Amino acid sequence: MASQKTNQGPASPAVLSPRALNRATLARQLLLRRTAMSAKDAVGHLVGLQAQNTKPPYYQLAARLEGFDPEELSGLMASREVARMVTLRSTIHTHTADDCLTLRPLVQGARDRELGLFRKGLTGVDLELLATTARAFVEESPRTPKEIREELLERWPHAEPLALGVAARCLLPLVQVTPRGLWGQSGQVTLTTAEQWFGRAAEPVPAPDATVLRYLAAFGPASVKDMQTWCGLTRLREAFERLRPRLLTFQDERGVELFDLPDAPRPGEDTPAPPRFLPEFDNLLLSHADRTRVVPAQYKERTWKGNQSHRTFLVDGFLAGIWRLEESDRDSTATLTAQPFGTLGREQRAALVAEGEYVLATMTRATTRDVRFGTVSA
């Protein structure tokens, strides 16, 4: 596997083009070729799967793992080896049990900042007592967000209900318990603490150094600001400086310093990148301050509508359009419609169709499957 030349010491660091960064990131993200890695190992390697909705984690693994069966991830959730909780960027992620108990303490500072936005609605509320009260309530039995708010309102009737709920979520490591998130099942959001769910204590707040290395392994080469965008923390420069002797440094075309692991893959720019269908909120598109390594500048604003994220697809490693899936249990049909942002060549369309057929076969039970092309609505 070809690597970019590095210049350490007094010489200027090598410059990595957006295409070089694209191929390196796709390799770390398991998107240059599907891997035989287990679902649990993949969740750990990727440092979690964005899970604002219940299905995206399954589609993220289908795009990355060879022979993926959604029941594998569902089984890990049912056996409490992975779970859904608020961690990175104040959003829900599917993490391994170990990461639920270590990453959440690490990003607690970001939760504290979020809580600060709701201080006005918490006037007169003893936050330490609120945390103790909410913990006892959800550890007695998993509770819905509504039940948590109502319990806290009985003690603080003049507080703002939404703020009380946010305070409980920010102060406590709350896990969404199953059947919520299981494949092919439904269930309302019901919460308990990570310690209660996994039957063991959370870890003390760790230094960020180990997580910096894991981030680079999954998303590098990357800048300090890139990692801060990924996790929602600030002031990570000190950790990168401690690790500098163990890392390589590069620059992007704007002169931003990028860090990387010495033995991480950095494939050549001409390495083929197959098309991939990604779910809404895939971390590939959300985990860098500068997203041009995946998102062409002209498509920057086209993956969102309001506060909703579209499902996206990649062609030659870069964002190239959005897609939708329509399923009918009544007649056992499933249709995947790809909506390109620009013109695709014949070979690109054929490769997208083949990948779409794979997605439908893997992720639906339909006996009649169809991949179509459409246009993006204004």
Side-chain angles (χ1 to χ4, degrees):
M1 183 177 291
S3 298
Q4 300 291 327
K5 292 182 179 180
T6 62
N7 295 305
Q8 299 301 296
S12 298
V15 175
L16 298 179
S17 68
R19 192 172 181 86
L21 290 171
N22 174 271
R23 293 311 194 251
T25 306
L26 292 180
R28 320 294 171 87
Q29 284 286 300
L30 315 178
L31 289 167
L32 281 185
R33 60 187 61 83
R34 288 187 170 89
T35 178
M37 187 181 292
S38 71
K40 183 176 180 180
D41 286 347
V43 173
H45 167 73
L46 296 167
V47 204
L49 305 172
Q50 231 285 356
Q52 285 295 92
N53 298 330
T54 58
K55 288 185 177 181
Y58 295 93
Y59 281 88
Q60 289 167 64
L61 294 184
R64 292 165 167 90
L65 301 185
E66 186 178 292
F68 174 68
D69 182 345
E71 293 296 342
E72 182 183 1
L73 179 59
S74 190
L76 292 170
M77 295 192 69
S79 62
R80 306 192 187 188
E81 295 178 73
V82 305
R84 298 163 51 84
M85 73 182 307
V86 173
T87 52
L88 308 170
R89 306 184 301 277
S90 300
T91 58
I92 300 165
H93 278 69
T94 294
H95 288 292
T96 64
D98 287 345
D99 279 349
C100 285
L101 294 167
T102 57
L103 271 179
R104 175 54 195 256
L106 177 64
V107 300
Q108 183 58 43
R111 304 291 73 70
D112 294 341
R113 291 199 308 276
E114 180 185 1
L115 180 57
L117 301 175
F118 294 85
R119 289 285 186 183
K120 186 175 180 181
L122 296 168
T123 302
V125 175
D126 182 330
L127 293 181
E128 185 174 342
L129 180 58
L130 183 150
T132 301
T133 302
R135 179 180 288 275
F137 186 58
V138 300
E139 289 187 345
E140 179 184 56
S141 178
R143 312 288 186 171
T144 67
K146 182 175 183 290
E147 290 171 334
I148 295 170
R149 290 194 300 270
E150 290 175 347
E151 175 72 9
L152 296 175
L153 271 172
E154 287 191 13
R155 184 176 289 268
W156 293 284
H158 300 297
E160 206 276 314
L162 174 62
L164 290 172
V166 170
R169 185 188 71 189
C170 289
L171 294 170
L172 298 176
L174 297 178
V175 167
Q176 292 189 6
V177 309
T178 54
R180 177 76 173 175
L182 296 182
W183 185 249
Q185 300 188 45
S186 61
Q188 62 181 332
V189 175
T190 311
L191 305 163
T192 190
T193 62
E195 296 94 334
Q196 179 75 8
W197 189 242
F198 298 119
R200 52 192 170 104
E203 298 292 328
V205 178
D209 302 39
T211 305
V212 170
L213 298 177
R214 292 182 65 195
Y215 170 74
L216 293 176
F219 295 95
S223 69
V224 175
K225 188 177 288 187
D226 285 331
M227 182 172 173
Q228 292 179 164
T229 296
W230 169 73
C231 65
L233 293 174
T234 59
R235 301 178 181 178
L236 289 178
R237 168 64 65 178
E238 184 177 331
F240 277 82
E241 292 301 331
R242 283 195 300 269
L243 293 167
R244 184 182 288 275
R246 300 168 54 184
L247 301 174
L248 299 182
T249 57
F250 301 91
Q251 288 183 357
D252 67 14
E253 291 184 338
R254 296 183 176 92
V256 174
E257 184 176 42
L258 306 173
F259 294 85
D260 204 10
L261 306 177
D263 58 352
R266 287 178 291 277
E269 295 185 7
D270 58 349
T271 302
R276 289 290 184 262
F277 288 93
L278 303 177
E280 62 272 32
F281 304 113
D282 194 290
N283 270 336
L284 175 72
L285 277 67
L286 300 174
S287 300
H288 299 88
D290 180 357
R291 299 174 183 176
T292 55
R293 69 179 66 198
V294 178
V295 181
Q298 66 268 32
Y299 300 153
K300 186 167 115 172
E301 307 295 336
R302 303 192 68 177
T303 61
W304 294 82
K305 185 173 184 179
N307 62 354
Q308 293 299 310
S309 171
H310 292 296
R311 297 168 174 172
T312 60
F313 64 84
L314 308 178
V315 172
D316 189 30
F318 290 89
L319 173 70
I322 60 178
W323 63 282
R324 66 177 188 269
L325 177 64
E326 298 167 296
E327 297 181 75
S328 172
D329 292 333
R330 181 176 55 81
D331 53 7
S332 190
T333 62
T335 301
L336 187 159
T337 303
Q339 300 169 283
F341 292 146
T343 301
L344 299 177
R346 181 180 300 177
E347 291 185 2
Q348 292 174 324
R349 291 170 70 93
L352 267 175
V353 169
E355 178 66 13
E357 289 173 345
Y358 175 88
V359 171
L360 292 178
T362 302
M363 303 301 289
T364 76
R365 298 177 180 175
T367 56
T368 301
R369 301 184 287 267
D370 187 23
V371 177
R372 301 175 181 175
F373 288 91
T375 56
V376 179
S377 58

